[in-house]
Amino acid sequence: MVVLLSKRRRFVLLVLAAFSLRLCFGEDRITFSTPIKDSETLLCKSGIFRFGFFTPVNSTTRLRYVGIWYDKIPIQTVVWVANKDTPINDTSGVISISDDGNLVVTDGRNRLVWSTNVTVPVAPNDTCAQLMDTGNLRLQDNRNKGEILWESFKHPYNSMLPRMNLRTDPRTGENLTLTSWRSYVDPSTGSYTVGLVSFPFPELLVWKNNVPKWRSGPWNGQVFIGLPEMDTLLNIDGFNLLNDNQGTVTLTYANDSFMYHFNLDPDGVIYQRDWSTSMNAWRIGARFPSTFCDAYSRCGPYGSCHTRGDPPCKCVKGFVPRNNTEWNARNWTNGCVRRAPLRCERQSNVSSNGGGGRGGKGDGFLKLQKMKVPVNAERSLANEQACPKVCLDNCSCTAYAYDRGIGCMLWSGSLVDMQSFLGSGTDLYVRLAHSELKSHSKRAIIITAPVVGVAFVAAVCVLLACQKFKRRPELEKDRSAELLFKRMEALTSGNESASNQVKLKELPLFDFQVLAASTDNFSLRNKLGQGGFGPVYKGKLQEGQEIAVKRLSRSSGQGLEELMNEVVVISKLQHRNLVKLLGCCIEGEERLLVYEYMPKKSLDAYLFDPSKQKILDWKTRFNIMEGICRGLLYLHRDSRLKIIHRDLKASNILLDENLNPKISDFGLARVFRANEDEANTRRVVGTYGYMSPEYAMEGLFSKKSDVFSLGVILLEIISGRRNSHKEENNLNLLAYAWKLWNEGEAASLADPIVFGECFAKEITKCVQTGLLCVQEVASDRPNVSTVIGMLTTENTNLPEPKQPAFIAKRGVSDAESSDQSSQKASVNDVSLTAVTGR
Ligand SMILES: *[C@@H]1O[C@H](CO)[C@@H](O)[C@H](O)[C@H]1NC(C)=O
Ligand SMILES: *[C@@H]1O[C@H](CO)[C@@H](O)[C@H](O)[C@H]1NC(C)=O
Ligand SMILES: *[C@@H]1O[C@H](CO)[C@@H](O)[C@H](O)[C@H]1NC(C)=O
Ligand SMILES: *[C@@H]1O[C@H](CO)[C@@H](O)[C@H](O)[C@H]1NC(C)=O
Ligand SMILES: *[C@@H]1O[C@H](CO)[C@@H](O)[C@H](O)[C@H]1NC(C)=O
Ligand SMILES: *[C@@H]1O[C@H](CO)[C@@H](O)[C@H](O)[C@H]1NC(C)=O
Ligand SMILES: *[C@@H]1O[C@H](CO)[C@@H](O)[C@H](O)[C@H]1NC(C)=O
Ligand SMILES: *[C@@H]1O[C@H](CO)[C@@H](O)[C@H](O)[C@H]1NC(C)=O
Ligand SMILES: *[C@@H]1O[C@H](CO)[C@@H](O)[C@H](O)[C@H]1NC(C)=O
Ligand SMILES: *[C@@H]1O[C@H](CO)[C@@H](O)[C@H](O)[C@H]1NC(C)=O
């Protein structure tokens, strides 16, 4: 009877049945009366996923598994398996709703092979299993608008699809992890698992038979700090990590592209794959672990791994291989041991009172820059200045590190799984005996005294600053502290988590004398350029680190607020496409900002200089466009603070040694609370040629006004011409691009230096994207994540741009007509004098 019905469903019923029946017997569901056989499958409505019986390709057996795979692609890609360890050895299997209401798989002898195994509170003829468009298989109550009884997304196997979560919840015991297949042809349970741990910091781990094989490093609110490249991934792929600080952590993944997933492969590597229609194959976007050094504890305790090093493993200074024979034979598993015992260890052997004694010969810290921090960090509530002292005062503490998003991390016992990165990373301070520090004092070592010294100077600086402001609150001019506190309040209100709050004392403060010395007393030779609010100098700290110092002009009264704004805003941001603020200095009249030094200066210095233009080939330009978008997306998408830059322009894009772009100059940035979208200002600031019409005319700014500026920058990068310059027929760049677009000649906008027929399509797409960004009506403009999608995917169905706003042209003729525009003009004067950034 059952079999008969099912046959009819597929071959006859659709033709014969009444409409009411067709609703119940959709192609995407199984009900009590419509089981499916081995030869039948379910197809979700969108047609992307299929559910049914399969045999892995290339399998030497003929075992039948029940699972979900991508339909319509030539490569079998299974994303979920039900009976992974109980295959059926022939084609007699049936998937049905059983008498207890569960979805079950039975073999030819009606033996139970697999079951959803939940308690179903309704009659079996009221439950229904449905394959959703997301690839989620659901068992639901068919009556009350479908209460979900069971779903495959809560029982993941080896794949993480968009909208799926990984989670660990110690209270309910829920532990959503991915597990690998045994091999590429054998879907049975393999030995690798990837999941989240929540204590003390959320972190992603891969285990093999419960032994760690890889870790991501702790989550700092934005990224996993052990994955230097993850920030970009996170931004484009809809990743987020939710932490309720009670142990429940959820990694969400909300990409809307279904042809995209993460998979834990049988080799224990997590691959991110997306389907390339042009290549007709899966393209690997990211993989974890990806380098030799990523393997857990590659170099053993106190060993640090350097991907480009030979040998890759090195003992941290002050440590020696535990067994030289093994170490020299490139067996690093046993790691390194401390050469000179710590003072507190020696002391505690003498008197059990212990405690770090004072005096010149105490232990100190060795600073290791750009590190993947070791496993098993402990949380301390200490702030950045107190963090080293907390570590020093506890004899079992062997290292500390401080991350703004995490706070103070301490380690006790061996330091395991350290890696030294080339790009970003965390500064790790390893405790060493005084004698070790002294013997290496020529190298870049920070010993106890300077650490305490800097902390002391900073503390004094803060104290003095606070006292000063307390003593003279009536002074209009010195509103900085007040402003800063106000700004911080604005930043942190609506955010209950105290640990996220920016505290004044957490901002790195530099000594004015140090900065003056580093820039050779702000000598002209070291001047890099003139920013909107003051000159920028190159400096070199005593340890050799190069910095860029922006000294705010004493005369610019408005500079103070912008300074505070910038300090607070940037100190909270970390992204590879944003310039890093290292600290600030407020002493007397002096206000300085200290940034990382960018040897290549700013984008406009290349883009508009005929002798340098050719350094930026098309690939580089594309990379720069993408990077700017990613940096801007980071500013716009942050859930806690929305940041509108307000002054995006080519001279505010700095380039690092590899010509990667970094957005700088947040002096005008405006921080929005999560529920704010748009604001109005009477003081229009920004730069001519980059300002959106609604901002320039009405002072209205939003994310979409940044998108406008972004569009101008994109078109400038493509063409190598300034928007403010007049093209043929006295058209500015936007009007010129629009003209070419309408003539179907968009690709000819490209700088002839970079143009190549093979790029024509890509260039056209970029021009179109740029034009979409500069449309007159703000709501027509895409948001930044869409812009990234437009640039980076092969999808060619971009919307048709509407006419851009030719603001520059109009602005000139209207210049004197209102108060606003005259203010605008004065600011523009300042901005336009800006030379090459830093
Ligand atoms: C199956 O085998 C062929 C030939 O060896 C290989 O090219 C293909 O990648 C294999 N497919 C899978 C899914 O392993
Ligand atoms: C399938 O497995 C059953 C036992 O699980 C066995 O009795 C049967 O002979 C097998 N059939 C084939 C074709 O191997
Ligand atoms: C169903 O779940 C119970 C506990 O929840 C477990 O004891 C039992 O083995 C499970 N049965 C199957 C077939 O998985
Ligand atoms: C479901 O089964 C119950 C008894 O098993 C019956 O009373 C009810 O009418 C059935 N409902 C439907 C929709 O067939
Ligand atoms: C979650 O599963 C992983 C892998 O099996 C395990 O190591 C981890 O301890 C589990 N976490 C919890 C909270 O049960
Ligand atoms: C989804 O992933 C694709 C592939 O990387 C990416 O291009 C797209 O921007 C992502 N979409 C979202 C909403 O993050
Ligand atoms: C060092 O390792 C080698 C090889 O494992 C072993 O033979 C030797 O005894 C070890 N030496 C010491 C001092 O442990
Ligand atoms: C490395 O040394 C450890 C401990 O002595 C030993 O167990 C392991 O087999 C060695 N590994 C290799 C690859 O020789
Ligand atoms: C201190 O005592 C511990 C155990 O009593 C011992 O392991 C350690 O080597 C001693 N350290 C020194 C420097 O003597
Ligand atoms: C020192 O650190 C250890 C390990 O973190 C901790 O258990 C101990 O309580 C600390 N001691 C003091 C005095 O804080």
Side-chain angles (χ1 to χ4, degrees):
M1 161 71 184
V2 158
V3 172
L4 215 140
L5 245 176
S6 125
K7 243 188 211 155
R8 280 170 79 194
R9 179 179 72 83
R10 283 194 63 85
F11 301 115
V12 192
L13 202 71
L14 278 179
V15 185
L16 300 178
F19 272 90
S20 58
L21 277 178
R22 277 175 71 181
L23 272 179
C24 304
F25 297 102
E27 285 278 319
D28 65 348
R29 59 191 70 188
I30 295 173
T31 65
F32 187 60
S33 51
T34 57
I36 65 171
K37 296 189 305 174
D38 187 293
S39 55
E40 299 168 326
T41 54
L42 300 186
L43 185 66
C44 72
K45 282 208 181 72
S46 64
I48 293 173
F49 294 102
R50 204 174 266 284
F51 170 72
F53 287 90
F54 71 96
T55 297
V57 287
N58 296 354
S59 167
T60 50
T61 67
R62 295 220 182 129
L63 298 175
R64 301 295 284 167
Y65 294 88
V66 171
I68 299 170
W69 61 91
Y70 286 93
D71 196 46
K72 292 202 183 76
I73 63 170
I75 300 173
Q76 184 196 56
T77 310
V78 177
V79 294
W80 184 77
V81 184
N83 58 333
K84 48 188 181 271
D85 295 313
T86 51
I88 299 175
N89 62 5
D90 53 28
T91 55
S92 64
V94 174
I95 311 169
S96 60
I97 301 286
S98 72
D99 292 339
D100 65 3
N102 277 295
L103 182 72
V104 296
V105 178
T106 47
D107 67 7
R109 300 179 189 185
N110 211 16
R111 282 176 310 196
L112 185 67
V113 167
W114 179 84
S115 164
T116 50
N117 202 11
V118 286
T119 311
V120 176
V122 297
N125 59 3
D126 283 330
T127 65
C128 150
Q130 186 182 3
L131 181 61
M132 316 301 291
D133 284 347
T134 50
N136 190 9
L137 180 71
R138 274 188 184 160
L139 180 70
Q140 55 200 26
D141 181 343
N142 216 6
R143 299 164 313 163
N144 313 323
K145 276 284 170 204
E147 187 207 342
I148 298 161
L149 305 167
W150 179 96
E151 57 188 329
S152 65
F153 271 22
K154 292 280 168 65
H155 298 83
Y157 192 28
N158 62 338
S159 295
M160 183 167 180
L161 297 171
R163 314 267 175 93
M164 215 162 136
N165 299 331
L166 294 188
R167 178 183 301 134
T168 179
D169 182 349
R171 279 163 301 183
T172 62
E174 189 180 21
N175 195 4
L176 300 185
T177 58
L178 301 183
T179 307
S180 68
W181 286 20
R182 185 167 299 268
S183 77
Y184 283 99
V185 294
D186 181 358
S188 62
T189 306
S191 40
Y192 291 96
T193 316
V194 55
L196 289 162
V197 295
S198 52
F199 286 116
F201 306 106
E203 188 164 0
L204 199 60
L205 268 98
V206 172
W207 296 273
K208 182 180 188 181
N209 301 321
N210 284 327
V211 178
K213 286 292 164 187
W214 174 80
R215 48 185 278 275
S216 64
W219 176 263
N220 74 355
Q222 296 286 352
V223 293
F224 291 110
I225 62 174
L227 301 183
E229 293 305 310
M230 183 135 186
D231 48 359
T232 46
L233 244 187
L234 274 158
N235 281 326
I236 63 160
D237 298 329
F239 265 105
N240 208 353
L241 189 129
L242 311 172
N243 182 6
D244 74 349
N245 291 316
Q246 322 244 324
T248 303
V249 256
T250 310
L251 186 68
T252 65
Y253 172 33
N255 194 303
D256 287 333
S257 157
F258 291 106
M259 301 305 288
Y260 188 84
H261 63 258
F262 279 77
N263 204 74
L264 179 63
D265 275 22
D267 57 2
V269 177
I270 306 167
Y271 291 95
Q272 171 251 303
R273 295 190 174 95
D274 65 308
W275 182 256
S276 159
T277 24
S278 60
M279 284 151 49
N280 212 20
W282 290 104
R283 193 166 41 192
I284 293 175
R287 71 187 80 198
F288 310 106
S290 59
T291 67
F292 178 83
C293 286
D294 286 347
Y296 182 80
S297 189
R298 176 63 84 188
C299 298
Y302 300 111
S304 167
C305 197
H306 308 242
T307 302
R308 300 240 180 110
D310 186 33
C313 288
K314 290 193 180 71
C315 289
V316 171
K317 291 207 182 67
F319 295 79
V320 291
R322 180 177 289 274
N323 180 327
N324 264 313
T325 322
E326 281 177 1
W327 188 267
N328 293 333
R330 298 177 83 87
N331 182 343
W332 298 293
T333 39
N334 280 324
C336 312
V337 291
R338 195 179 285 285
R339 190 160 42 193
L342 295 173
R343 172 185 156 101
C344 69
E345 280 174 359
R346 280 177 282 138
Q347 260 194 353
S348 59
N349 281 10
V350 179
S351 74
S352 52
N353 298 353
R358 262 135 278 275
K361 295 206 178 144
D363 302 331
F365 291 104
L366 166 74
K367 178 182 182 180
L368 302 176
Q369 287 176 313
K370 298 182 180 172
M371 296 294 287
K372 176 173 188 173
V373 298
V375 69
N376 294 332
E378 290 162 29
R379 186 189 290 275
S380 162
L381 295 177
N383 63 31
E384 190 165 9
Q385 268 75 40
C387 192
K389 189 168 184 307
V390 172
C391 184
L392 212 55
D393 283 352
N394 185 336
C395 193
S396 52
C397 179
T398 48
Y400 79 90
Y402 189 87
D403 178 281
R404 279 182 201 296
I406 296 174
C408 176
M409 292 173 274
L410 304 176
W411 285 266
S412 53
S414 299
L415 304 177
V416 176
D417 196 33
M418 283 183 283
Q419 198 183 141
S420 157
F421 293 129
L422 294 167
S424 52
T426 311
D427 290 343
L428 178 72
Y429 295 85
V430 176
R431 182 186 201 136
L432 287 184
H434 181 71
S435 58
E436 291 291 345
L437 294 166
K438 213 174 161 193
S439 68
H440 286 89
S441 62
K442 276 182 217 137
R443 311 209 181 148
I445 280 176
I446 293 190
I447 55 171
T448 322
V451 166
V452 169
V454 167
F456 180 71
V457 167
V460 166
C461 188
V462 168
L463 272 177
L464 285 180
C466 291
Q467 274 177 5
K468 193 165 98 188
F469 298 131
K470 260 187 208 148
R471 265 190 281 124
R472 308 187 293 165
E474 70 284 1
L475 281 188
E476 232 343 87
K477 219 172 151 205
D478 267 332
R479 293 172 305 148
S480 47
E482 194 190 301
L483 274 169
L484 187 52
F485 283 122
K486 251 196 206 146
R487 190 71 60 196
M488 287 186 311
E489 229 171 64
L491 280 175
T492 49
S493 60
N495 175 9
E496 292 73 34
S497 164
S499 65
N500 283 335
Q501 285 183 16
V502 188
K503 298 190 190 81
L504 179 56
K505 30 188 190 306
E506 284 179 8
L507 298 171
L509 291 172
F510 281 82
D511 194 288
F512 180 73
Q513 289 314 320
V514 169
L515 295 181
S518 80
T519 55
D520 205 4
N521 239 334
F522 305 104
S523 81
L524 266 181
R525 265 181 303 115
N526 284 327
K527 187 163 162 181
L528 293 170
Q530 178 77 31
F533 300 107
V536 182
Y537 299 89
K538 179 179 174 180
K540 196 166 189 177
L541 295 177
Q542 250 175 352
E543 306 94 87
Q545 190 186 5
E546 292 186 313
I547 53 175
V549 182
K550 183 177 186 179
R551 188 184 195 184
L552 282 115
S553 332
R554 261 171 258 193
S555 52
S556 74
Q558 62 184 166
L560 186 59
E561 183 173 0
E562 273 80 14
L563 164 77
M564 290 310 170
N565 208 344
E566 184 156 5
V567 169
V568 174
V569 170
I570 311 196
S571 65
K572 303 223 26 155
L573 305 176
Q574 281 184 18
H575 189 279
R576 64 196 288 254
N577 296 118
L578 300 183
V579 76
K580 198 159 157 193
L581 180 74
L582 302 175
C584 72
C585 172
I586 310 168
E587 270 182 45
E589 295 280 283
E590 293 290 350
R591 316 189 187 293
L592 302 102
L593 293 171
V594 182
Y595 300 89
E596 60 180 326
Y597 174 66
M598 289 287 152
K600 301 275 189 187
K601 316 230 169 105
S602 61
L603 177 60
D604 61 338
Y606 283 81
L607 207 50
F608 307 130
D609 179 342
S611 67
K612 292 188 187 160
Q613 268 174 336
K614 57 182 168 297
I615 298 174
L616 304 180
D617 59 17
W618 176 249
K619 223 177 126 239
T620 309
R621 291 192 193 199
F622 189 83
N623 178 51
I624 290 172
M625 293 194 266
E626 200 179 332
I628 297 170
C629 294
R630 296 228 157 110
L632 188 60
L633 176 60
Y634 179 89
L635 293 178
H636 282 185
R637 93 182 266 278
D638 192 295
S639 54
R640 286 165 301 148
L641 339 156
K642 229 181 292 174
I643 295 161
I644 311 295
H645 188 289
R646 291 212 280 169
D647 196 18
L648 276 177
K649 53 180 165 178
S651 60
N652 277 342
I653 309 294
L654 306 186
L655 300 174
D656 73 5
E657 51 282 86
N658 301 321
L659 296 172
N660 289 313
K662 286 178 192 254
I663 300 176
S664 77
D665 230 326
F666 297 74
L668 307 176
R670 168 68 199 262
V671 177
F672 279 41
R673 303 216 193 113
N675 52 359
E676 253 181 314
D677 278 328
E678 192 182 72
N680 199 315
T681 180
R682 291 198 310 144
R683 220 181 105 219
V684 173
V685 290
T687 304
Y688 216 48
Y690 291 94
M691 275 188 286
S692 66
E694 73 277 9
Y695 181 45
M697 303 292 170
E698 298 153 57
L700 266 181
F701 60 97
S702 66
K703 287 185 191 180
K704 294 299 178 72
S705 40
D706 274 356
V707 169
F708 184 93
S709 314
L710 175 69
V712 176
I713 295 176
L714 296 185
L715 294 171
E716 288 185 336
I717 293 174
I718 297 165
S719 64
R721 308 177 220 212
R722 285 185 200 272
N723 186 32
S724 49
H725 280 190
K726 293 284 178 284
E727 301 300 333
E728 60 175 59
N729 301 335
N730 208 19
L731 295 175
N732 73 3
L733 179 61
L734 300 194
Y736 183 55
W738 175 243
K739 175 175 169 275
L740 291 176
W741 172 258
N742 283 319
E743 290 166 359
E745 296 288 337
S748 63
L749 182 70
D751 192 335
I753 291 175
V754 304
F755 185 78
E757 266 311 317
C758 51
F759 303 130
K761 232 177 111 187
E762 196 170 35
I763 290 170
T764 305
K765 189 175 68 177
C766 292
V767 172
Q768 187 174 4
T769 308
L771 284 171
L772 285 166
C773 293
V774 297
Q775 292 176 102
E776 176 115 44
V777 180
S779 57
D780 287 341
R781 297 174 208 144
N783 57 32
V784 186
S785 62
T786 315
V787 173
I788 293 175
M790 290 173 174
L791 290 179
T792 58
T793 59
E794 280 148 36
N795 172 15
T796 45
N797 308 329
L798 301 189
E800 194 63 22
K802 296 182 191 154
Q803 172 158 343
F806 305 122
I807 177 68
K809 219 168 72 189
R810 233 193 275 168
V812 174
S813 51
D814 291 350
E816 252 69 63
S817 65
S818 76
D819 191 33
Q820 271 174 15
S821 38
S822 63
Q823 271 184 16
K824 175 187 72 197
S826 69
V827 174
N828 289 339
D829 288 343
V830 180
S831 292
L832 285 172
T833 56
V835 193
T836 46
R838 14 198 107 84

